[in-house]
Amino acid sequence: MNTDKLKQDRQEEQDKRKILSVCICVHLWTKKMVFNNRLFFVLLSFVLSGCRGSQSALDSAGVQSARLENLWWLFFFVCGAIYLIVMAVLLAAFFRSRREQKRANSETQPDVMPNPEREKRLGNIVKGAVAVTIIVLFVFMIASFRTGRAVNSLREAEQPLVIKVTGHQWWWEIEYQDRIPSNNISMANEIHIPVGRPVKFELQSTDVIHSFWVPNLHGKKDLIPGYKTTFVFQADKPGTFWGQCAEFCGHQHAKMRFIVVAESPEDFNNWVVAQRQSSVQPATNLQKRGQEVFLTTTCAQCHTIQGTPAYGRVGPNLTHIASRSYIAAGSLPNTKGHLGGWISDPQKIKPGVRMPMNSYSSEDLQALLEYLQTLK
Amino acid sequence: MKRISKILILSLSAFTFLFVSCEREERGFRVEPPSAGRIESKQLTPLQAGVPTANPPVHNEYEENAYAMAEGKRLFSYMNCVGCHAHGGGAIGPPLMDAKWIYGGQPEQVFATIVEGRPNGMPSFRGKLPDYQIWQLAAYVRSMSGQVPFDAAPARNDDMKAKPPENSIEEAKPIKNMPRIP
Ligand SMILES: [Cu+2]
């Protein structure tokens, strides 16, 4: 009998100690996380820096994203206010109960005394809170429903600008479709759109599911293999905005980015005219050698340069590669040095990418770069 | 003491189980299979001057690696091998999923076929693909006739299903009693 009691006590003692040590660990850990590690401040600056810029849903540049932004702020303010109220009530309850307890002790009264009037008042407050919760949820539901409707009902223009976007692991193929096929344009990782005109996107994928997301202009839309999804949006402000694949799609998902350049209709038309041209023919001997290197080694198996016999469809169309701001799906700015690094060892820049390394002699590489740089 | 050794044995065997499939999934983005060096001086006839010397068979490590064979499978479409060989069943080019080989079905022979090309219409890919991709293709070609370990062969297609997955294909054997059409 006695030993049983002892055992039980010891067990309890041990349990208490375990709980205590866990508590201490958690306490130390959070303290360290929050104050010593500067993580707190890093997080804070992250939170604050996310609001503006060329890849932010809170810096809208079109009607639809403006709607989404409004909805976001509505949720933010209402939820923030509710959070503050709940915290205030919690603190009030905490201090009040202490005060009352003190008073009760001094007058040697029992801790809890039934007080029907007070009970009723508190009951009404709870009922009111339930009603407010339901109303707030309904307001949210209606607001998000209305936003969804508004975002999806952007009227298509009479002759919409149609852009076909095909997701590849890990780059974006962009095709502008014209009624006359020879006017089609094939781009990669860079979309130009005229300001103020709705653009219809047709999204497809060749391998796995990707997701098309330009936060400043619209929400996300998935690209699904074997199934075409469409999506209309419009930019109201000129600017360059970052887009990003938003559905994990393999090794280089993070480096599957693109830019959207929204520009005035005149600039857009000039761009279209330039992109419709065939590639620039090499002028100097070095450039001619560069073209020869391109056509006679691996490159032509995978890449197209219009106006040459290279018509591979595995990688991006390089007819106007020098006109792009970035290469390799937003991984690197398009400079000669980066281009050279990419061609020599793409596996270093994007491990697993579907372009093999190349080992050229330095003369051949220079010639190749010289040639690629002329493809404006 | 007994208990400790029991635990040791158990954890050791658990560890071996953990690491047993590592090589299958290893992803070498910049490597050649080590034992498959250049074989461009491959002997194409069994006839030999003087005393015959044995040619050690080339071992293609990619045949034990799921990633490399999946890459080979992708290249088989990218490089339009499917245009002439279909998905292994053959068209202009001979079928690659049977046990009949015109130019030999050993890894180094398939490699040589792809690099050199063959006279009746098989184009040469010399200089058009890096060697390691040709080794990946060679491994995939052999998986189509079930000549690679089944636990590394591609398990499914990402697109249309034209035939059973390569890891459930039995090794192709010559057909003995071919029915005759009189
Ligand atoms: Cu992705």
Side-chain angles (χ1 to χ4, degrees):
Chain A
M1 186 65 200
N2 221 356
T3 48
D4 271 357
K5 176 92 176 69
L6 254 169
K7 253 190 197 164
Q8 209 184 333
D9 278 352
R10 227 167 74 204
Q11 187 64 41
E12 272 178 16
E13 189 68 40
Q14 273 177 359
D15 284 350
K16 265 188 210 158
R17 245 186 258 160
K18 260 185 218 158
I19 292 172
L20 192 72
S21 56
V22 168
C23 284
I24 290 173
C25 285
V26 169
H27 175 75
L28 286 179
W29 183 69
T30 47
K31 211 172 143 189
K32 195 166 163 228
M33 288 279 279
V34 174
F35 296 109
N36 292 9
N37 240 357
R38 276 182 261 153
L39 190 81
F40 176 72
F41 297 101
V42 173
L43 277 180
L44 195 73
S45 58
F46 258 125
V47 168
L48 295 179
S49 70
C51 298
R52 291 270 163 263
S54 59
Q55 193 175 356
S56 164
L58 300 182
D59 195 356
S60 60
V63 266
Q64 290 148 306
S65 51
R67 290 264 186 178
L68 292 174
E69 190 183 339
N70 288 344
L71 184 70
W72 195 90
W73 283 115
L74 175 75
F75 270 66
F76 178 78
F77 283 124
V78 173
C79 293
I82 291 173
Y83 178 74
L84 289 182
I85 292 171
V86 169
M87 283 299 140
V89 171
L90 196 70
L91 280 181
F94 184 66
F95 286 116
R96 190 168 145 166
S97 81
R98 282 201 167 177
R99 219 168 46 226
E100 278 185 3
Q101 208 175 24
K102 250 189 208 159
R103 207 189 314 140
N105 281 350
S106 63
E107 294 168 13
T108 60
Q109 275 176 343
D111 283 359
V112 188
M113 280 233 297
N115 181 343
E117 207 176 296
R118 195 168 155 229
E119 299 272 285
K120 201 174 164 201
R121 209 174 64 230
L122 290 181
N124 283 343
I125 291 180
V126 170
K127 279 179 212 155
V130 170
V132 169
T133 307
I134 291 173
I135 290 170
V136 167
L137 287 179
F138 262 95
V139 168
F140 277 177
M141 194 179 80
I142 292 166
S144 63
F145 179 73
R146 280 176 54 91
T147 306
R149 286 276 294 237
V151 161
N152 281 324
S153 63
L154 187 65
R155 205 169 46 84
E156 277 177 30
E158 310 271 287
Q159 286 198 330
L161 175 61
V162 180
I163 302 181
K164 196 170 133 198
V165 177
T166 311
H168 297 261
Q169 281 173 324
W170 294 278
W171 59 283
W172 305 86
E173 185 179 354
I174 317 286
E175 285 163 293
Y176 289 71
Q177 300 197 313
D178 196 283
R179 241 178 314 158
I180 305 163
S182 67
N183 279 345
N184 288 353
I185 299 173
S186 177
M187 264 303 265
N189 311 319
E190 190 170 317
I191 305 176
H192 287 242
I193 56 175
V195 167
R197 178 171 168 197
V199 184
K200 184 175 173 193
F201 288 91
E202 292 180 358
L203 309 177
Q204 274 176 324
S205 168
T206 50
D207 32 50
V208 298
I209 299 178
H210 303 278
S211 187
F212 182 86
W213 189 31
V214 195
N216 296 65
L217 293 172
H218 204 332
K220 301 170 187 172
K221 192 88 174 181
D222 279 7
L223 288 73
I224 298 162
Y227 182 83
K228 192 164 81 183
T229 45
T230 59
F231 181 50
V232 182
F233 72 58
Q234 175 180 331
D236 293 333
K237 267 202 298 203
T240 302
F241 309 108
W242 276 107
Q244 164 77 48
C245 178
E247 177 77 46
F248 181 70
C249 58
H251 242 85
Q252 292 304 330
H253 165 64
K255 287 189 178 163
M256 184 169 167
R257 307 176 72 196
F258 60 101
I259 55 173
V260 175
V261 182
E263 54 198 3
S264 67
E266 301 83 60
D267 286 352
F268 176 72
N269 285 346
N270 291 342
W271 179 82
V272 167
V273 169
Q275 292 291 321
R276 277 184 186 156
Q277 306 299 319
S278 198
S279 70
V280 177
Q281 286 306 310
T284 67
N285 276 345
L286 194 62
Q287 290 165 11
K288 281 190 186 129
R289 171 73 193 134
Q291 190 186 43
E292 196 185 322
V293 171
F294 190 94
L295 295 177
T296 53
T297 57
T298 60
C299 319
Q301 296 293 116
C302 297
H303 293 288
T304 296
I305 294 184
Q306 252 172 52
T308 73
Y311 50 82
R313 298 275 330 256
V314 174
N317 186 314
L318 300 182
T319 310
H320 298 287
I321 175 70
S323 74
R324 288 177 209 157
S325 315
Y326 293 89
I327 55 168
S331 309
L332 298 169
N334 189 359
T335 63
K336 192 171 178 186
H338 285 136
L339 208 57
W342 171 258
I343 291 168
S344 310
D345 197 355
Q347 298 296 335
K348 179 89 186 225
I349 294 159
K350 274 174 99 165
V353 71
R354 270 79 202 263
M355 172 159 155
M357 306 157 296
N358 293 285
S359 44
Y360 291 119
S361 68
S362 65
E363 292 89 51
D364 281 357
L365 184 63
Q366 281 304 324
L368 183 61
L369 290 175
E370 201 64 37
Y371 171 60
L372 289 177
Q373 296 255 293
T374 65
L375 299 177
K376 286 264 190 300
Chain B
M1 197 55 223
K2 231 179 175 179
R3 205 166 136 205
I4 291 177
S5 60
K6 233 186 200 169
I7 291 174
L8 227 112
I9 290 172
L10 264 178
S11 48
L12 266 181
S13 45
F15 261 111
T16 32
F17 267 117
L18 264 180
F19 290 112
V20 103
S21 54
C22 281
E23 256 164 53
R24 175 187 186 274
E25 285 298 336
E26 191 178 300
R27 295 180 179 212
F29 298 137
R30 307 202 274 164
V31 292
E32 303 253 322
S35 66
R38 296 214 152 249
I39 51 123
E40 291 196 353
S41 56
K42 176 79 192 139
Q43 178 177 332
L44 294 175
T45 156
L47 298 176
Q48 222 172 31
V51 183
T53 45
N55 250 341
V58 170
H59 176 63
N60 179 2
E61 274 89 349
Y62 283 165
E63 293 186 356
E64 280 123 43
N65 185 279
Y67 174 71
M69 265 186 290
E71 290 289 293
K73 181 166 179 166
R74 213 168 37 73
L75 287 166
F76 199 75
S77 298
Y78 275 9
M79 297 299 138
N80 200 27
C81 315
V82 289
C84 296
H85 295 279
H87 287 277
I92 297 174
L96 300 175
M97 56 197 290
D98 57 9
K100 237 167 83 185
W101 296 93
I102 309 169
Y103 300 103
Q106 290 311 304
E108 70 275 20
Q109 291 166 320
V110 175
F111 180 94
T113 297
I114 301 171
V115 176
E116 313 284 342
R118 296 297 183 191
N120 289 329
M122 169 71 195
S124 156
F125 285 82
R126 183 195 295 283
K128 303 294 183 184
L129 282 172
D131 281 359
Y132 79 93
Q133 287 190 330
I134 296 182
W135 282 116
Q136 290 174 342
L137 271 166
Y140 175 65
V141 165
R142 275 168 50 85
S143 80
M144 282 193 282
S145 48
Q147 299 191 69
V148 303
F150 85 98
D151 59 347
R156 66 181 171 87
N157 293 339
D158 286 338
D159 39 48
M160 146 188 106
K161 269 204 170 55
K163 57 179 165 41
E166 283 78 358
N167 71 352
S168 49
I169 290 181
E170 297 201 346
E171 190 178 340
K173 299 248 162 56
I175 299 170
K176 287 264 171 57
N177 298 316
M178 188 75 154
R180 308 259 309 264
I181 302 166

